[in-house]
């Protein structure tokens, strides 16, 4: 198979409000947090993911929803290596049909390239790529948004490689160890959990998140290889990919339409007309995406408010008006629902994180 320095298909929506990610990570995060005596159900419900919804096979969450839950879970558990725990807790069934296709692949390299190609179907919150280099066969995990909260960025990088190592050992043999692992974030106070999990040299503060596979392993046959089964599952994955791409296109078009129209919000009837669709059909398509028009509008407004709050010259009245709120009280209620704080508190937090205050 040819090397792939980037996924053949777009890695996902460019807007963080779109609900396009399977919540696999959040499900395992809830299980791991429970071991710390931390119940994430109230937090999940707060961002619209109650227990019944989380059990839905059709559920998709946004980067924004996922990041909010991860950020709070790290705070509540106090575990700076929570990403490692969540990645190591996963099972062979964690990636659904994609995991099954990988197990039925011919070699470990084929399995990895299948994972990269169909990463949109795995619930990944990083962007995967893989290529053969002088150092060996390299798997990269890039963050979808470089402006992510640092704690969330660390969690996602840890979870990404911890899950790859864990599932490789479950499918190919417990003795597997990468040749090396590199993380872009600074070295933590205690690096022992990394050495114990990966059982190879681990470097921090590098140019990117990389895992290098030893040559003998990358060409090793998968124990469950089955060309017929693999071909059948790949056909199903192609069908799902086409459907997912259509869903992402719909959400992005709606979000852009809403963002360009603010402070006015196009009515649902108007959006159906623009898409040459009936209201019933558009509502059904949104339901297939695991969302509603109201939720999409809310997400775009939230993003607009967060952008405007970074501009000190704007008053809350200005921000509320530009984001389409009736008055400042409505803005305050929305920000409290999204973040559990006032708009001014959120402004100060955002400016501090961007080094505008105190640095």
């Amino acid at each position: 198979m040819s090397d792939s320095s980037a996924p053949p298909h777009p890695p996902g929506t460019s807007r963080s409000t779109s609900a396009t990610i399977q919540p696999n990570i959040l499900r395992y995060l809830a299980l791991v947090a429970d071991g710390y005596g931390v119940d994430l159900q109230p937090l999940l419900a707060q961002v619209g993911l109650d227990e019944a919804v989380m059990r839905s096979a059709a559920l998709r969450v946004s980067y924004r929803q996922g990041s909010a839950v991860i950020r709070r879970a790290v705070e509540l558990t106090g575990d700076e290596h929570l990403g490692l725990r969540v990645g190591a807790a996963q099972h062979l069934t964690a990636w659904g049909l994609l995991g099954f296709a990988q197990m039925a692949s011919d070699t470990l390299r084929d399995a990895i390239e299948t994972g990269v190609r169909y990463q949109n179907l795995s619930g990944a919150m990083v962007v995967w790529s893989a290529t053969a280099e002088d150092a060996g066969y390299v798997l990269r995990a890039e963050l979808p948004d470089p402006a992510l909260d640092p704690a969330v960025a660390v969690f996602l990088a840890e979870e990404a490689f911890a899950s790859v190592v864990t599932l490789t050992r479950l499918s190919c043999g417990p003795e597997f160890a990468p040749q090396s692992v590199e993380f872009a974030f600074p070295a933590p106070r205690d690096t022992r959990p990394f050495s114990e999990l990966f059982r190879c040299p681990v470097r921090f503060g590098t140019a990117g998140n990389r895992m290098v596979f030893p040559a003998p392993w990358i060409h090793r046959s998968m124990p469950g290889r089955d060309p017929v089964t693999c071909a059948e599952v790949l056909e199903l994955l192609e069908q799902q990919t086409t459907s997912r791409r259509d869903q992402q296109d719909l959400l992005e078009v709606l979000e852009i339409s809403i963002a360009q129209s603010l402070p006015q919000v196009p009515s649902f009837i108007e959006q159906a007309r623009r898409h040459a669709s009936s209201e019933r059909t558009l509502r059904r398509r949104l339901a297939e995406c695991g969302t509603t028009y109201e939720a999409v509008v809310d997400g775009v407004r939230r993003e607009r408010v967060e952008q405007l709050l970074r501009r000190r010259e704007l008053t809350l009245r200005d921000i509320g008006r530009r984001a389409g709120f009736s008055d400042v009280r409505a803005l305050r209620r929305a920000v409290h629902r999204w973040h559990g704080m006032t708009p001014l508190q959120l402004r100060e937090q955002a400016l501090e994180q961007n080094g505008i205050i105190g640095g």
Side-chain angles (χ1 to χ4, degrees):
M1 296 180 66
S2 61
D3 300 336
S4 54
S5 57
H9 304 302
T13 177
S14 60
R15 298 184 59 85
S16 60
T17 54
S18 294
T20 56
I21 306 167
Q22 288 185 329
N24 300 340
I25 293 177
L26 299 188
R27 290 191 177 110
Y28 280 95
L29 176 60
L31 289 173
V32 172
D34 188 59
Y36 286 85
V38 174
D39 182 8
L40 290 187
Q41 296 308 321
L43 177 59
L44 290 167
Q46 186 178 342
V47 296
L49 302 171
D50 59 36
E51 191 168 1
V53 173
M54 285 289 286
R55 292 180 179 275
S56 169
L59 174 64
R60 300 292 181 268
V61 300
S62 67
Y63 279 106
R64 190 178 299 282
Q65 286 174 306
S67 297
V69 174
I70 290 168
R71 183 184 304 110
R72 187 62 178 141
V74 172
E75 294 172 356
L76 292 173
T77 61
D79 185 353
E80 63 178 359
H81 301 311
L82 191 61
L84 292 181
R85 322 291 184 210
V86 173
Q90 296 182 28
H91 304 300
L92 286 171
T93 55
W95 293 356
L97 277 178
L98 174 56
F100 192 48
Q102 290 177 293
M103 286 189 287
S105 296
D106 187 35
T107 66
L108 180 57
R109 176 170 175 164
D110 292 329
I112 293 170
E113 293 183 352
T114 295
V116 169
R117 179 175 178 81
Y118 298 104
Q119 59 186 285
N120 274 359
L121 304 178
S122 70
M125 290 182 68
V126 297
V127 180
W128 293 107
S129 61
T131 186
E133 300 180 5
D134 291 341
Y137 192 78
V138 179
L139 180 65
R140 288 185 176 82
E142 298 179 38
L143 298 176
D145 181 356
L148 274 176
D149 179 285
V152 177
V154 169
F155 175 96
L156 292 180
E158 290 182 351
E159 187 279 334
F161 286 151
S163 63
V164 168
V165 165
T166 298
L167 297 185
T168 300
R169 287 172 180 159
L170 288 172
S171 60
C172 297
E175 70 277 14
F176 169 76
Q179 182 173 305
S180 63
V181 175
E182 298 177 1
F183 289 105
F185 55 83
R189 290 170 297 177
D190 184 5
T191 62
R192 286 177 300 177
F194 294 85
S195 300
E196 292 170 358
L197 175 63
F198 295 113
R199 304 200 297 263
C200 71
V202 181
R203 296 174 56 207
F204 301 91
T206 59
N209 302 306
R210 308 191 331 153
M211 176 182 291
V212 181
F213 285 77
W217 276 95
I218 204 65
H219 299 297
R220 180 174 294 198
S221 296
M222 295 293 289
R225 64 187 183 280
D226 186 316
V228 175
T229 298
C230 187
E232 291 176 349
V233 179
L234 289 178
E235 184 176 345
L236 292 175
L237 292 177
E238 280 293 336
Q239 294 172 5
Q240 289 187 12
T241 298
T242 300
S243 174
R244 181 71 56 81
R245 196 178 304 120
D246 290 343
Q247 292 176 2
Q248 291 177 349
D249 289 345
L250 172 63
L251 291 173
E252 290 188 14
V253 167
L254 286 175
E255 289 179 337
I256 292 170
S257 173
I258 295 164
Q260 291 177 338
S261 300
L262 286 177
Q264 301 300 318
V265 176
S267 68
F268 188 73
I269 295 175
E270 173 63 15
Q271 292 287 20
R273 186 190 65 77
R274 292 181 184 181
H275 287 80
S277 169
S278 68
E279 294 178 59
R280 181 177 180 180
T281 298
L282 182 56
R283 203 174 300 279
R284 175 182 56 76
R285 292 185 65 195
L286 285 170
E288 291 172 351
C289 297
T291 190
T292 64
Y293 184 59
E294 293 74 20
V296 176
V297 171
D298 192 58
V300 174
R301 275 180 165 162
R302 174 174 176 167
E303 189 170 27
R304 179 63 56 86
V305 167
E306 291 170 355
Q307 291 171 345
L308 295 175
L309 279 171
R310 298 175 187 274
R311 297 173 54 182
R312 277 195 175 281
E313 76 275 12
L314 297 179
T315 66
L316 293 186
R317 187 183 302 276
D318 293 332
I319 293 171
R321 184 172 59 250
R322 295 189 186 193
F325 289 97
S326 58
D327 53 36
V328 174
R329 286 181 299 176
L331 171 65
R332 287 196 181 103
R333 287 195 297 269
V335 171
H336 188 271
R337 173 166 54 83
W338 296 330
H339 294 280
M341 62 180 70
T342 69
L344 292 180
Q345 289 172 329
L346 181 61
R347 166 177 272 171
E348 293 302 313
Q349 181 186 84
L351 295 178
E352 286 176 357
Q353 290 176 349
N354 282 272
I356 299 176
I357 293 177

